Amino acid sequence: MNTVARAGTSRVVWAAAWAAATAARGLLVWVPGHPADLAAFHAWALRLAEVGPWRFYAPGLFADYLPGYLALLWPVGVLVRAWPAAAGPLLKAIPASADFAVAALLWRLGGTRGQAAALAYLLNPAVLLAGAWWGQAEPVSVAWLLGSAVALHRGNPGWAGVLFGWAALTKPQYAAAGGVLLVGLVRGPGGVRTLAWSAGSCALTVTAGGLLFGLSPVDLARVAVSASATYPYGSVNALNLWYLAGLNWKPDTLPVLGVASSVWGLGLASAAVAWVAWRVAGRGDPALAALGASAVCVVVFAVATRMHERYLFPALPLALAAWARGQMGAALWLAVSAVLLANLAYGFAYVASFPQYTTPPWPVVWPVLSGPPSYGAAMATVLLAGWSPYAAASAARRTRAS
């Protein structure tokens, strides 16, 4: 009887937690989001509703996003034209809904702790701030990446490539972490053929996505290069190594020890990605693959230039996936949560410091975060970037020994 009662109580607790996650998003989508980002999404959604995707990109149009997220803005644009007063909630419903896709995939990928990982994600303050409050696209890209990992783990390399392709078309910044995730999921000589199959379907998906928007592969590459050059700064409100070096909103062509900071960033990030990929590749271990991908995301965020404050986001669900499968303690995802929350709060408060973008409560937060706390958070980011690859390498050694 006690066992039955405990099981009933447990179900009630889980149901209440899921309801709380849903209610929080239902409320936050009505709170004013990031004014600059939502203004851009609003304009793009309306243009898509008016001219369709095939005529979206045009000379003189500012659009630093690839077709992946724009494809989701297209139907939302139709709804915004019908209900203009609900534009904010409709635009923010995209990442808020994607959060539940990420949670469902964490549940499936996470084994016995899957549901706990899903709820730890949904109720995480940083996740709530990035998606349902801010209105940014990060949860959508993560949903595609985790979907790709689940598909590959279940023996569907074709679908894995399709989903990875949509992830790349949404946020190409996370391709390195996603690549480490996939190479860690395959095992043995057959893994090369599996990845080749996925790469082929990914290339076809990216090509098809570009053609939907009237872009040839060359045009799509040109749009991607142009988008990456929109903010050519050492840091774009990312509390990382270059923030500590005084290069926030400063050109990443400025030299450090005689070498451009962009070159330093690319070299350090590339070396870290290669080293972590070598440690986890071909092991066929979902937990180790997720841990390695999370570490790559942290390191790239910490040392590469042109990082925005939210680019750390995928490290959190990936660390949760590793924790759910018992490869890592909770310390990593808790640390990532804290550092991510500090970065997001700083970025949101920064834009609210401009009179035309003032939204509560951020004008009160900005004087607090703009001083020494921001440098403390940047130092924490750098320390996390040193610890997370070490944790992945240690886990790889333990896995090999067992």
Side-chain angles (χ1 to χ4, degrees):
M1 182 65 71
N2 288 338
T3 302
V4 174
R6 283 196 298 270
T9 302
S10 177
R11 283 194 293 270
V12 169
V13 170
W14 286 117
W18 283 96
T22 304
R25 284 162 177 80
L27 293 173
L28 285 173
V29 294
W30 291 94
V31 174
H34 193 285
D37 288 350
L38 288 179
F41 293 159
H42 190 185
W44 297 340
L46 290 178
R47 177 171 173 79
L48 284 161
E50 180 182 352
V51 304
W54 41 89
R55 290 193 293 163
F56 175 79
Y57 292 102
L61 174 74
F62 171 76
D64 59 347
Y65 270 53
L66 296 185
Y69 199 66
L70 297 173
L72 298 178
L73 289 176
W74 179 18
V76 171
V78 176
L79 297 175
V80 169
R81 291 181 73 180
W83 297 287
L90 287 170
L91 291 167
K92 293 203 288 179
I94 300 175
S97 301
D99 277 338
F100 289 97
V102 173
L105 291 163
L106 281 173
W107 194 346
R108 174 165 290 192
L109 195 62
T112 56
R113 287 180 179 168
Q115 184 169 204
L119 286 173
Y121 172 84
L122 286 174
L123 296 172
N124 193 290
V127 172
L128 290 167
L129 178 55
W133 191 338
W134 185 309
Q136 252 298 343
E138 266 61 30
V140 175
S141 183
V142 170
W144 292 126
L145 281 179
L146 288 181
S148 178
V150 170
L152 190 64
H153 185 53
R154 293 169 65 88
N156 296 306
W159 278 111
V162 169
L163 296 170
F164 192 93
W166 279 109
L169 283 170
T170 304
K171 286 285 183 178
Q173 299 92 329
Y174 306 141
V180 169
L181 179 64
L182 296 192
V183 300
L185 285 170
V186 298
R187 181 187 294 275
V192 176
R193 291 190 297 273
T194 299
L195 290 175
W197 179 252
S198 294
S201 63
C202 174
L204 289 174
T205 300
V206 170
T207 301
L211 292 175
L212 175 64
F213 279 75
L215 301 174
S216 70
V218 173
D219 293 331
L220 182 61
R222 189 178 296 116
V223 170
V225 171
S226 175
S228 70
T230 304
Y231 299 99
Y233 305 114
S235 168
V236 188
N237 289 335
L239 305 178
N240 61 7
L241 176 66
W242 303 111
Y243 184 91
L244 289 173
L247 293 183
N248 193 38
W249 293 101
K250 301 289 179 61
D252 65 356
T253 53
L254 292 175
V256 175
L257 300 178
V259 179
S261 55
S262 60
V263 175
W264 278 112
L266 179 62
L268 290 170
S270 299
V273 171
W275 186 74
V276 174
W278 173 67
R279 302 295 298 188
V280 306
R283 306 294 284 275
D285 185 337
L288 182 60
L291 182 57
S294 179
V296 162
C297 192
V298 172
V299 174
V300 170
F301 178 81
V303 303
T305 61
R306 308 190 182 191
M307 291 289 108
H308 292 240
E309 64 286 295
R310 61 188 183 275
Y311 288 1
L312 182 63
F313 187 90
L316 174 55
L318 290 167
L320 278 167
W323 168 76
R325 297 188 71 98
Q327 187 60 266
M328 188 69 193
L332 179 61
W333 70 261
L334 289 171
V336 171
S337 298
V339 172
L340 175 60
L341 182 60
N343 274 272
L344 293 172
Y346 180 90
F348 218 145
Y350 171 84
V351 76
S353 68
F354 295 88
Q356 66 271 34
Y357 293 137
T358 297
T359 53
W362 302 110
V364 178
V365 176
W366 175 243
V368 177
L369 289 182
S370 60
S374 65
Y375 290 94
M379 182 61 69
T381 301
V382 173
L383 292 174
L384 185 60
W387 175 43
S388 53
Y390 171 78
S394 299
R397 285 194 297 269
R398 290 195 303 270
T399 303
R400 182 179 291 113
S402 61

